[in-house]
Amino acid sequence: MGSPRRYLAALAALLLSCSFRGASAAPAPASFGDNFEITGAEDHVKTSADGQTWYLYLDNKTGVGFQTKERYLFGWFSMKLKLVGNDSAGVVTAYYMCSDVDAAPQRDELDFEFLGNRTGQPYIIQTNVYHNGVGGREMRHSLWFDPTADFHTYAILWNAKHIVFFVDKVPIRVYPNDASKPGGNAFFPVAKPMYIFSSIWNADDWATRGGLEKTDWAKAPFVSSYRDFAADACAWPAGPGAPSPPACAAATGDSWWDQPPAWALDEAQRLDNAWVARNVLIYDYCDDRKRFPAPPEECALRGAGTAS
């Protein structure tokens, strides 16, 4: 696909030129509180002095989360995270998009889940897709760096052609739609706007070695860190007078994420995605014949030019 790299480079150049023309007039960057609201125990969230970084705390009493004030249909969504360090077995940090604030039965959802581990063992990143309340589309990868040592960027590109999960601009997973069918394949979220969420919580009944490794509460509190949220996307207005859907939700081509270069991986990204599949892929639901004797229909779309 036409990576946002070139678009972001052009945007950076424009912002740089503007800063020389009138640096004093440049607006202050948005704080986390401008985009998000806390869900859960507010005393388990800390904020940096400049308001640009949030820290979420998990202890044996509770975890915590946050969600965007707006919801979106299609676009580019990016966040920098630094995950829980040291012994994080049983701890899950989730960064995801969901159409409902309460995990309603008919929700659509796009998930990053970071599964903690015992000290020295690599984190596992699980991605998943839900449509109309049905999931089961898990893929798992090991990360090729230490995600606890520094911030790394995790992003989702979502348009009517495919959904791409990125780690530091590397496309680790492509989830395709079938453009040859009216309405696409039956398991592609294309109609429900979504909020962006993150949370930290205890999942030691399944998260680490299938629940064999339990959370060591003597190591609490567990802290995940967030900064540099960005959404170049179609915001879905709220309220009775708002258009439904907004014009930007249609395939107009007015935004870079809804133009042909963003409909497929470019050559460099295909090479990166192939490297990921060879070297760090742990589990792929499309290959699990115990769960899916007949692979789900979207699995057949891989290799059609839009998927890994």
Side-chain angles (χ1 to χ4, degrees):
M1 56 162 258
S3 155
R5 282 176 282 191
R6 80 181 118 191
Y7 298 95
L8 294 178
L11 178 60
L14 175 62
L15 293 175
L16 182 61
S17 68
C18 290
S19 68
F20 281 110
R21 289 200 299 267
S24 61
S31 71
F32 248 75
D34 292 329
N35 291 305
F36 295 94
E37 54 191 15
I38 297 169
T39 57
E42 294 192 5
D43 63 350
H44 281 56
V45 178
K46 307 293 183 185
T47 306
S48 63
D50 62 3
Q52 300 303 307
T53 306
W54 274 15
Y55 307 94
L56 269 59
Y57 287 71
L58 168 69
D59 57 25
N60 60 357
K61 295 179 182 178
T62 186
V64 70
F66 58 78
Q67 71 174 70
T68 49
K69 297 175 181 178
E70 289 193 293
R71 53 185 183 154
Y72 307 89
L73 186 69
F74 306 138
W76 167 264
F77 310 91
S78 174
M79 181 91 77
K80 288 184 179 178
L81 281 76
K82 183 164 69 172
L83 302 180
V84 175
N86 301 317
D87 189 336
S88 58
V91 177
V92 171
T93 299
Y95 163 49
Y96 62 104
M97 302 180 67
C98 187
S99 59
D100 297 276
V101 297
D102 56 356
Q106 295 299 309
R107 72 192 185 278
D108 287 353
E109 188 172 311
L110 310 175
D111 294 341
F112 278 111
E113 291 180 309
F114 305 93
L115 313 183
N117 220 323
R118 292 265 91 102
T119 301
Q121 298 299 313
Y123 260 79
I124 292 173
I125 182 170
Q126 176 171 284
T127 56
N128 201 356
V129 176
Y130 281 76
H131 182 50
N132 289 331
V134 179
R137 268 61 180 175
E138 300 94 344
M139 293 182 71
R140 288 187 175 188
H141 298 82
S142 59
L143 291 170
W144 54 95
F145 52 84
D146 181 358
T148 73
D150 203 351
F151 285 88
H152 291 266
T153 302
Y154 304 90
I156 295 173
L157 171 68
W158 176 31
N159 57 39
K161 306 296 183 180
H162 62 186
I163 297 159
V164 187
F165 295 83
F166 288 89
V167 176
D168 287 340
K169 299 182 181 178
V170 174
I172 65 166
R173 177 179 183 176
V174 184
Y175 188 83
N177 199 4
D178 189 349
S180 68
K181 284 178 160 185
N185 58 284
F187 205 94
F188 191 90
V190 75
K192 299 175 184 177
M194 300 194 203
Y195 298 93
I196 295 103
F197 297 82
S198 192
S199 60
I200 183 170
W201 50 291
N202 178 42
D204 66 4
D205 56 335
W206 65 270
T208 308
R209 294 184 59 213
L212 295 177
E213 303 285 353
K214 300 301 182 182
T215 303
D216 183 355
W217 293 112
K219 303 292 197 304
F222 303 101
V223 182
S224 55
S225 309
Y226 306 80
R227 71 183 189 199
D228 296 347
F229 170 71
D232 185 352
C234 179
W236 191 287
S244 182
C248 58
T252 61
D254 291 339
S255 302
W256 70 264
W257 40 262
D258 195 25
Q259 295 175 359
W263 294 349
L265 301 185
D266 63 26
E267 182 178 0
Q269 290 173 328
R270 287 195 296 272
L271 291 173
D272 285 347
N273 186 243
W275 180 90
V276 166
R278 290 194 308 271
N279 292 280
V280 296
L281 176 64
I282 297 171
Y283 174 82
D284 184 346
Y285 75 100
C286 284
D287 297 329
D288 191 336
R289 291 298 170 267
K290 290 183 179 179
R291 293 178 63 203
F292 300 102
E297 66 170 301
E298 70 272 7
C299 297
L301 299 175
R302 297 183 182 184
T306 59
S308 56

